[in-house]
Coordinates of all heavy atoms in Angstrom, one line a residue:
I1 N 2.2 -10.1 6.3 CA 1.1 -9.4 5.8 C 0.0 -10.3 5.4 O 0.3 -11.3 4.7 CB 1.5 -8.4 4.7 CG1 2.6 -7.4 5.2 CG2 0.3 -7.7 4.1 CD1 3.2 -6.6 4.0
K2 N -1.3 -10.0 5.7 CA -2.4 -10.8 5.3 C -3.3 -10.1 4.3 O -3.3 -8.8 4.3 CB -3.2 -11.3 6.5 CG -2.4 -12.1 7.5 CD -3.3 -12.5 8.7 CE -2.5 -13.4 9.7 NZ -1.3 -12.9 10.2
V3 N -4.1 -10.8 3.6 CA -5.0 -10.2 2.6 C -6.0 -9.3 3.4 O -6.4 -9.7 4.5 CB -5.8 -11.3 1.9 CG1 -6.9 -10.7 1.0 CG2 -4.9 -12.1 1.0
D4 N -6.3 -8.1 2.9 CA -7.2 -7.1 3.5 C -6.6 -6.2 4.5 O -7.2 -5.3 5.0 CB -8.5 -7.8 4.1 CG -9.4 -8.3 3.0 OD1 -9.3 -7.9 1.8 OD2 -10.2 -9.2 3.3
D5 N -5.2 -6.5 4.8 CA -4.5 -5.6 5.7 C -4.4 -4.2 5.0 O -4.3 -4.2 3.7 CB -3.1 -6.1 6.0 CG -3.1 -7.1 7.2 OD1 -4.2 -7.3 7.8 OD2 -2.1 -7.8 7.4
I6 N -4.4 -3.1 5.8 CA -4.2 -1.8 5.2 C -2.8 -1.4 5.5 O -2.3 -1.4 6.6 CB -5.2 -0.8 5.9 CG1 -6.7 -1.2 5.7 CG2 -5.0 0.6 5.2 CD1 -7.1 -1.3 4.2
L7 N -2.0 -1.1 4.4 CA -0.6 -0.7 4.5 C -0.4 0.8 4.2 O -1.2 1.4 3.4 CB 0.2 -1.5 3.5 CG 0.6 -3.0 3.8 CD1 -0.6 -3.9 3.7 CD2 1.7 -3.5 2.9
V8 N 0.5 1.4 4.9 CA 0.8 2.8 4.7 C 2.2 2.8 3.9 O 3.2 2.3 4.3 CB 1.0 3.6 6.0 CG1 1.4 5.0 5.7 CG2 -0.3 3.5 6.8
I9 N 2.1 3.4 2.7 CA 3.3 3.4 1.8 C 3.7 4.9 1.7 O 3.1 5.7 1.2 CB 3.0 2.9 0.4 CG1 2.3 1.5 0.5 CG2 4.3 2.8 -0.4 CD1 3.2 0.4 1.1
K10 N 4.9 5.2 2.3 CA 5.4 6.5 2.3 C 6.3 6.8 1.0 O 6.7 5.9 0.4 CB 6.2 6.7 3.6 CG 5.4 6.6 4.8 CD 6.1 6.9 6.1 CE 5.2 6.8 7.3 NZ 5.9 7.0 8.6
P11 N 6.5 8.1 0.7 CA 7.3 8.4 -0.5 C 8.7 7.8 -0.5 O 9.3 7.8 0.6 CB 7.4 10.0 -0.4 CG 6.2 10.4 0.4 CD 6.0 9.3 1.4
G12 N 9.1 7.2 -1.6 CA 10.4 6.6 -1.7 C 10.4 5.1 -1.3 O 11.4 4.4 -1.4
S13 N 9.3 4.6 -0.7 CA 9.2 3.2 -0.3 C 8.8 2.3 -1.4 O 8.0 2.6 -2.3 CB 8.2 3.1 0.9 OG 8.6 3.9 2.0
S14 N 9.2 1.0 -1.3 CA 8.8 0.0 -2.3 C 7.5 -0.6 -1.8 O 7.2 -0.7 -0.5 CB 9.9 -1.1 -2.4 OG 11.0 -0.6 -2.9
I15 N 6.7 -1.0 -2.7 CA 5.4 -1.6 -2.3 C 5.6 -3.1 -2.2 O 6.1 -3.8 -3.1 CB 4.3 -1.3 -3.4 CG1 4.1 0.2 -3.5 CG2 3.0 -2.0 -3.2 CD1 3.2 0.7 -4.6
P16 N 5.3 -3.7 -1.0 CA 5.6 -5.1 -0.8 C 4.7 -6.1 -1.3 O 5.0 -7.3 -1.5 CB 5.6 -5.1 0.8 CG 4.7 -4.1 1.2 CD 4.7 -3.0 0.2
I17 N 3.4 -5.7 -1.6 CA 2.4 -6.7 -2.0 C 1.5 -6.1 -3.2 O 1.7 -4.9 -3.5 CB 1.5 -7.1 -0.9 CG1 1.0 -5.9 0.0 CG2 2.2 -8.1 0.0 CD1 -0.1 -5.1 -0.5
D18 N 0.7 -6.9 -3.8 CA -0.3 -6.3 -4.7 C -1.5 -5.8 -3.9 O -1.9 -6.5 -3.0 CB -0.7 -7.4 -5.7 CG 0.4 -7.9 -6.7 OD1 1.5 -7.3 -6.5 OD2 0.1 -8.7 -7.5
G19 N -2.0 -4.7 -4.4 CA -3.1 -4.1 -3.6 C -3.9 -3.0 -4.4 O -3.6 -2.8 -5.5
V20 N -4.8 -2.4 -3.7 CA -5.6 -1.4 -4.3 C -5.5 -0.1 -3.4 O -5.6 -0.3 -2.1 CB -7.1 -1.8 -4.4 CG1 -8.0 -0.6 -4.9 CG2 -7.2 -3.0 -5.3
I21 N -5.3 1.0 -4.0 CA -5.2 2.3 -3.2 C -6.6 2.6 -2.6 O -7.6 2.7 -3.3 CB -4.7 3.5 -4.0 CG1 -3.3 3.2 -4.6 CG2 -4.7 4.8 -3.2 CD1 -2.8 4.2 -5.5
V22 N -6.7 2.8 -1.2 CA -7.9 3.2 -0.6 C -7.9 4.6 -0.1 O -9.0 5.2 0.3 CB -8.2 2.2 0.6 CG1 -8.5 0.8 0.1 CG2 -7.1 2.2 1.6
E23 N -6.7 5.2 -0.1 CA -6.6 6.6 0.4 C -5.4 7.2 -0.2 O -4.3 6.6 -0.1 CB -6.6 6.7 1.9 CG -6.7 8.1 2.4 CD -6.7 8.2 4.0 OE1 -7.4 7.4 4.6 OE2 -5.9 9.0 4.5
G24 N -5.5 8.5 -0.7 CA -4.3 9.2 -1.2 C -4.1 9.0 -2.7 O -4.8 8.2 -3.4
S25 N -3.2 9.7 -3.2 CA -2.8 9.6 -4.7 C -1.3 9.8 -4.8 O -0.7 10.5 -3.9 CB -3.6 10.5 -5.5 OG -3.3 11.9 -5.1
S26 N -0.7 9.2 -5.8 CA 0.8 9.4 -6.0 C 1.1 9.0 -7.4 O 0.3 8.5 -8.2 CB 1.5 8.5 -5.0 OG 2.9 8.7 -5.1
S27 N 2.4 9.1 -7.7 CA 2.9 8.5 -9.0 C 3.8 7.3 -8.6 O 4.6 7.4 -7.7 CB 3.7 9.6 -9.8 OG 4.8 10.1 -9.0
I28 N 3.6 6.2 -9.3 CA 4.3 5.0 -9.0 C 5.3 4.6 -10.1 O 4.9 4.6 -11.3 CB 3.3 3.8 -8.8 CG1 2.2 4.2 -7.8 CG2 4.0 2.6 -8.4 CD1 2.6 4.4 -6.4

């Protein structure tokens, strides 16, 4: 994964990197 890549994080998945949400909302 590179900086500025857009990742899709589905429910129940761990977040692999530090980032900023650009779409959607959830509880972490």
Side-chain angles (χ1 to χ4, degrees):
I1 299 171
K2 297 179 176 59
V3 175
D4 292 336
D5 277 353
I6 303 297
L7 281 71
V8 178
I9 310 295
K10 295 180 178 179
S13 300
S14 295
I15 298 172
I17 45 82
D18 291 2
V20 177
I21 297 176
V22 293
E23 188 180 313
S25 61
S26 182
S27 56
I28 308 294

